[in-house]
Amino acid sequence: QVQLVESGGGVVQTGGSLRLSCTASGPLFANTCMAWFRQAPGKEREFVAAISRSAGSSDLADTVKGRFTISRDTTKNTVYLQMKSLKPEDTADYYCAVDTTAAWGALPREVGRYDYWGQGTRVTVSS
């Protein structure tokens, strides 16, 4: 059983920055993919970023490219989402997720591919 604990959410003004962290505990494998999704009020959960635990490859949604960066520290089983130039439309609950069955280097964007989820951390960007 994998458990995920997110932190780092908060309230920030437009143009500000935040860094989210997600630490995983439990059995993780070399091919594990770790990702961030977000869900705004009244909207579906959407892909934000993903990183392969061992391969090092990463993927970002077009809406956050150039502003967000995903990274990981394998020694701590932690994935980070550095968010800069935040906009009001980035306001959402951000969820960390893990796909323990991903193919080597795969970075799925589909919600249904992920088998473990964190509780979420809220990010509010004020205008």
Side-chain angles (χ1 to χ4, degrees), residues 6-62:
E6 302 116 328
S7 62
V11 180
V12 64
Q13 291 186 332
T14 297
S17 299
L18 282 174
R19 189 178 80 156
L20 306 182
S21 300
C22 172
T23 299
S25 59
L28 296 176
F29 304 101
N31 59 317
T32 295
C33 175
M34 301 181 75
W36 288 97
F37 287 75
R38 67 185 181 186
Q39 188 167 16
K43 295 189 176 181
E44 293 187 350
R45 193 166 297 189
E46 66 174 4
F47 172 82
V48 176
I51 190 165
S52 173
R53 181 170 179 266
S54 295
S57 53
S58 61
D59 185 26
L60 291 165
D62 288 345

Side-chain angles (χ1 to χ4, degrees), residues 12-20 38 46-49 59-71 80-92 94 123-126:
V12 64
Q13 291 186 332
T14 297
S17 299
L18 282 174
R19 189 178 80 156
L20 306 182
R38 67 185 181 186
E46 66 174 4
F47 172 82
V48 176
D59 185 26
L60 291 165
D62 288 345
T63 52
V64 304
K65 276 182 181 176
R67 300 187 299 122
F68 291 12
T69 304
I70 188 170
S71 61
Y80 304 98
L81 185 68
Q82 178 67 54
M83 306 185 293
K84 298 180 179 180
S85 302
L86 283 161
K87 306 174 182 180
E89 49 264 44
D90 294 317
T91 295
Y94 283 71
V123 172
T124 302
V125 184
S126 61

